[in-house]
Amino acid sequence: MQRRTPAYIVCSPQARAGVTTVARLFGDYFQNQRREFIGFDTDPHETPFASRFPREARVTNLSVIQGQISLFDRLLVNDETPKIVDVWNRSFKHFFAIVREVGFIEEARRLSVEPIILYVADETTSSLESALQINRQWPDLTLVIVNNEGAAPMGAEVHDILARYPSEHDLQIPPLDPIVQKIIERPGFSLSRFMLAPPTDMSIVVRTALRVWINRNFAQFQSFELRMTMSDTPFLS
Amino acid sequence: MKPAVILVGADKGGVGKTTVSRVLLDYLAANNVVTRAFDTESPRGTLKRFHPGITEIVDINHTPDQMKIIDTLNSAGAKISVIDVRAGQMGATLRALREIGFLDAAQAEQFTFVVFHILGPSISSLDEIAEIAPFVSDANYFLVKNFINETTFFEWDPRTYASYFRKIKHAGDVTIPKLNEMAFEQVELSGVPFSAFVNNQTAEGDAAKYSFVLRGYVRTWMRNISAEFDRVGLLATLGAKAPKR
């Protein structure tokens, strides 16, 4: 039986919410498992996601139709290769306008492609409103609320804020120590390569902190994937 | 259901008459209304290229061709006849229809007569309304603002348009929204009806490989146009049963 192909759409209407970090973690998660993925970076200027995965990810400019075709037509190929879309915050509205106008979600389901929205939450009401709008428009769509604690800390009210978001699933990206954060932000630094062969000249404290952080994230992703697989299996769901 | 003639025309060229005819044929087919079409772009017709199975090329000023259309209205299997009138021939066609007594027959309710008058963005399109008005007093007359070729009706002042619009009793107006240029171009290249493009089919009915994004744009555009035709009650005008939506 052919499995459904997941299309992870990582997004937030806000800048610096930590969208690319989440997209990057997913990319490295697949690479760490020696699985292929195809990535799309919708920021045609800085290409933060595509720069991390030059072989796997392509840059798509959604303001031109060619860019829209190269993204959505490829996402609809049910080849069991996971797709990751890093939605630039400035493309956010336009992205969902195109999704609505071309009927992407409905077509994806028809072709056994499962769009999964990884919505990076923050404390702003506009972000909450956008998440509610997506949920109203597509109530059956898998909407995962991601709390990226390092990029968009929500303070003491975090539980109240997250409780207002519509979601059956959530992911929590723990914060990183600033020193470790600086290291992973270095151009060319790969989380999956680090996991396979940590640099010998790296401090053991940094190595441990980074490994713990990566493992916590990857474990959540694996658990999420398992839940999705089980929900696809009628006698297990 | 009475036989009906739908005339699609304009005196100006390049305003998208054939596009509207094509959309109309798709809309009627989607509502299970059997339709035939006449393309007056003799000797080579654009409409026939997209709907070859139901379209015949005719010269509307040629008596045998007039007979081919009018004399067969009652006997043809398809009760609806769409006539795509070639540029510059709208007035002449209406005059010809009056001379052969078709307009009188329509007035006597032997036939349903619908006119889609496609307006261009220039002010001369508005002057056409005044010229055509005398012929369509008993027709179901629709002024069509076609945005597919132009983004704005730049020469139009809404008050001027309203004053022209009021000159004709029972006139309705229909807006054809803009379609993404590349999507339109792709349908043109594929040479299939809009509906076949949306369904990813070639002219032969085989599976095609059209872009999903482009098909999505065309699908939404057609849905919006169908909503416009529904809004003006086109199916009821033609005596066809409106589907439950």
Side-chain angles (χ1 to χ4, degrees), chain A residues 12 77 87 141:
Chain A
S12 161
V77 178
V87 182
L141 181 63

Side-chain angles (χ1 to χ4, degrees), chain A residues 3 8 40 51 56 72 91 105 116 125 147 152 159 185 188 192-193 197 211 221:
Chain A
R3 290 162 66 182
Y8 293 98
F40 301 90
S51 312
E56 296 81 8
F72 290 105
S91 310
I105 305 294
I116 297 161
T125 45
N147 174 16
H159 294 296
E185 280 172 7
S192 51
R193 271 204 303 274
R211 191 181 287 279
F221 299 167

Side-chain angles (χ1 to χ4, degrees), chain B residues 60-75:
Chain B
I60 198 79
N61 296 312
H62 195 49
T63 307
D65 283 353
Q66 291 171 358
M67 288 162 66
K68 204 185 276 178
I69 303 169
I70 307 299
D71 289 353
T72 55
L73 283 176
N74 277 310
S75 57

Side-chain angles (χ1 to χ4, degrees), chain A residues 65-66 68-73 76 94 98 100-105 107-108 110, chain B residues 178 180-183 209-221 223-224:
Chain A
I65 192 104
Q66 289 87 344
Q68 297 170 18
I69 293 171
S70 77
L71 172 61
F72 290 105
D73 280 32
L76 288 169
H94 190 42
I98 300 165
R100 200 173 302 118
E101 179 152 14
V102 302
F104 170 72
I105 305 294
E107 185 75 356
R110 204 178 63 76
Chain B
K178 187 172 168 56
N180 175 281
E181 291 92 345
M182 195 185 267
K209 284 187 177 171
Y210 308 133
S211 152
F212 163 74
V213 170
L214 300 181
R215 289 193 291 123
Y217 277 123
V218 176
R219 186 190 302 118
T220 304
W221 177 74
R223 200 180 292 146
N224 292 339

